Amino acid sequence: MDDKPDISNAWQALTKHCHQNSNLKIKDQFATYPERFSEFSLEAAGIFLDYSKNRITTETMRLLCDLAKAAEVSRHREEMFCGKEINITEKRAVLHTALRNIHDESTPESVLVKKELKRMADCVHSILGGKWSGYSGKLITDVVNIGIGGSDLGPAMAVAALQPYGNHIKAHFVSNIDSTHINETIKYLNPETTVFIVTSKTFTTQETLVNAITAREWLLNKAAIEKKTIEKHFIGITANPTRAIEFGISQENIFSFWDWVGGRFSLWSAVGLSIALAIGMDKFYEFLEGAHAMDKHFESAPLEENMPVILALLGIWNIDFLGAQAQAIIPYDQYLELFPTYLQQLEMESNGKRVCVDGSDVSYKTAPIVWGGVGTNSQHSFHQLLMQGTHMVPVDFIIPLQTHSPIGNHHLLLYANCLAQSQALMCGCGEEDVIAELKLQGMSKEQIHNLMPHKIIPGNVPSNTIVMDKIEPSTLGALIALYEHKVFVQGIIWRINSFDQWGVELGKRMASKLVPMLQGESEATGLDGSTQGLINLITCHPRA
Ligand code: F6P
């Protein structure tokens, strides 16, 4: 059966609608339709989405939902949840949702998940409770997760976001092959009380293996202990246990996850061990439950009221019809400082694709450039571009109603700034307002004439505001799942495979050819002039 749903009619209708509404001003829509906020907002799994500050009308949303229906989003969603091999180039199912469906025992995957969660819980209780001690019998105080990409970004982000729920364990994250990363991490650690968690789905990733070897050397040298004792200080998290055993990690310290869990979707699995150690297993279960609540919403809500679907469609509207090429993520919460970086892999490694599942080239834009930073700092960094630049960059603002750090009116000011920025992006500041402002400042006509063009803010920049009561395990889980499902829906509509990442292989292959040249083990020949010249630079200078 041709799996190529015909979305052309829906797409053409949206193109026509876009042309007909090219002069739409978001702020005017509120003036003519006071119910706009309630019509264009949704609540699910503890997350509130205000999407009323988008360049949309009721008709826009109807046509976008028609596009989702034409792309058969519902059918594809069911196929994902029931384990069909929708990762077609790697012939794998995509079942990160099974990782947080912790009360289910109806599928082979759920039985595996339950078993591994139990092993995780035993490990967490043993380390936190002191039963698992270091080689000298001391309580473990520090865990170092060694991993990269999905084996690092999710856990690091979640540990940072959930610091208020922390305990005596300090979790550190080493990912970069730049030796500074591991050096600056282990410099102050005590080998007696440190456990390294080597996290790698393949257990072949160069950065992770090199860092793990360095960690092992450090431990052996610092602790002057024989090899077998390091068992107590190394845990492996992988879908390739054989490799982990070859590295020297004992079987009972190896936790599995499976090929139906994509790396960038894996923090719900044993990859999240550092999260569970940092916040305790009960809070980790709450984290899973929050994601599961969003899963249930995604599975059951009608498309028109389905938060991940709406977020996905708004992104497609901004990118493929309004021409946005980037998407800013600006959490107004210091604990979510790493969230934009985490989303970069989730969105750009999933949907940074140019070929459809049938091998044909896409004829539209796919994933945007996802970037961002924490507010209010972003206001003193890149908001100038958002306000007066030449790129239209949609923004997702994220803010909790409650802070974990109630001091004076800090949170009230943070909240005001967040709302003001989305308001300013929408309303801008036109010629009349600028002139009035400058007159009030007592400027002359000539001064106003000269300055006015520089102070105009066009406005009409779309934004979403995502609000939760508090950044806690359940709402963080739901927030992450929201974006996972948004990425999935966009991939379905763009007809791309969101679950492979062939584009990262070429760079790895090229690096493996350059290493022996840099080491002087092979002739540096057959290279382009730039690479050749750059190799000469380093080979002509003694390495430290
Ligand atoms: O970036 C490529 C990639 O394969 C990611 O998809 C993955 O999360 C990361 O490298 C690490 O891979 P592994 O967990 O196998 O070490």
Side-chain angles (χ1 to χ4, degrees), residues 349-369:
E349 192 165 86
S350 295
N351 289 342
K353 312 277 169 72
R354 59 172 49 240
V355 169
C356 292
V357 287
D358 65 4
S360 62
D361 289 345
V362 296
S363 55
Y364 35 74
K365 298 295 184 194
T366 54
I369 298 160

Side-chain angles (χ1 to χ4, degrees), residues 148-151 199-205 208 257 263-264 345 349 501 504-505 508:
I148 197 164
S151 295
T199 304
S200 176
K201 182 173 180 180
T202 57
F203 228 87
T204 60
T205 303
T208 301
F257 62 113
R264 52 192 173 272
Q345 187 198 15
E349 192 165 86
Q501 53 284 324
V504 304
E505 301 303 320
K508 292 179 185 176

